[in-house]
Amino acid sequence: PRLLSRFALDFARDGAWGPVLRHVERHGKFKFAIVSHVLEDLSNPTVVLDMLPRVADAGFISMPSKYLEFHRGVDGASFRHIGYIHHRWIFTISSGVLLAMPKLSFLESDPA
């Protein structure tokens, strides 16, 4: 039986990755990493994006559609702002490159 490795860390902070990097140094990279619906919530998603190739050979990244983030009322609470109010980033892929654009919900709100 294989042991399950668990790490408790603030993965949006560069200095917090020490335990994971030490594990990878001792045991090698993980075969696969999954990052699902977190990058859009982070103040600095580049930390995670920079670390992923250092700790895993392959992976899967998932985030909400950019089209959803440009619609009003998607969270069911209000039509005053576009997309999910707590999301900080909108992601898209252009020519095979992942692009992150800051989402400024407070500028997009409808004061009416």
Side-chain angles (χ1 to χ4, degrees):
R2 297 182 73 182
L3 295 176
L4 178 63
S5 298
R6 292 183 184 243
F7 302 94
L9 60 115
D10 177 2
F11 58 83
R13 218 172 34 85
D14 193 28
W17 283 79
V20 179
L21 293 173
R22 283 190 294 279
H23 176 86
V24 167
E25 186 176 303
R26 276 186 238 129
H27 304 285
K29 287 184 180 183
F30 294 95
K31 290 182 180 170
F32 201 82
I34 298 172
V35 179
S36 180
H37 292 267
V38 269
L39 294 178
E40 67 276 4
D41 298 315
L42 302 175
S43 59
N44 185 7
T46 57
V47 172
V48 176
L49 293 170
D50 289 344
M51 285 294 176
L52 285 175
R54 293 178 64 186
V55 300
D57 291 324
F60 174 79
I61 298 174
S62 174
M63 69 261 317
S65 162
K66 64 184 173 188
Y67 303 108
L68 182 67
E69 291 290 357
F70 287 117
H71 280 63
R72 292 193 186 278
V74 298
D75 62 3
S78 169
F79 282 92
R80 295 186 61 204
H81 56 270
I82 62 167
Y84 293 96
I85 189 83
H86 66 282
H87 289 172
R88 299 175 179 209
W89 298 91
I90 297 173
F91 290 89
T92 191
I93 295 176
S94 178
S95 301
V97 175
L98 180 65
L99 301 175
M101 297 161 284
K103 183 176 176 214
L104 306 173
S105 297
F106 63 93
L107 294 177
E108 295 293 333
S109 66
D110 181 6

